Amino acid sequence: MDDILIKDHIQQLKDVETADLWIDENFEKKLSQVDGTTAFERPIPAMHSIAELVSHLIEWRREVLSRLKGNQRGLDMSDAANW
């Protein structure tokens, strides 16, 4: 049963990235509209850029998948990647 649940969670992560979702948006579609300049722009100085947000999401995706595989916590709350 646990294996089915883990596979479902992994599939949900993949779906948000590239699947044809009912909301008509996924990361791949949104990021295809971003170029090298806009990726690093901060619309408001206190906000994160798209590149920073994507980096954060990638780090947490790695962490979630690692934990689902039974590994110990790897990303610490004080890590630079976990702002």
Side-chain angles (χ1 to χ4, degrees), residues 11-70:
Q11 188 60 51
Q12 287 180 43
L13 287 171
K14 289 178 180 179
D15 288 349
V16 168
E17 291 176 6
T18 60
D20 186 21
L21 302 173
W22 65 271
I23 57 173
D24 192 38
E25 295 291 332
N26 61 38
F27 288 163
E28 185 176 60
K29 185 175 181 180
K30 279 299 213 189
L31 292 176
S32 70
Q33 303 168 30
V34 176
D35 62 27
T37 301
T38 57
F40 292 93
E41 291 176 353
R42 287 185 169 197
I44 299 172
M47 291 179 69
H48 291 287
S49 69
I50 294 169
E52 290 170 319
L53 292 170
V54 169
S55 175
H56 183 75
L57 290 168
I58 289 169
E59 288 300 322
W60 272 104
R61 181 182 188 275
R62 288 180 181 150
E63 181 68 15
V64 168
L65 292 173
S66 178
R67 289 186 194 183
L68 287 172
K69 292 177 182 175

Side-chain angles (χ1 to χ4, degrees), residues 1-6:
M1 182 66 170
D2 289 339
D3 191 43
I4 293 171
L5 187 58
I6 289 171

Side-chain angles (χ1 to χ4, degrees), residues 2 5 7 9-10 51 64 83:
D2 289 339
L5 187 58
K7 287 180 180 179
H9 288 316
I10 291 171
V64 168
W83 38 263

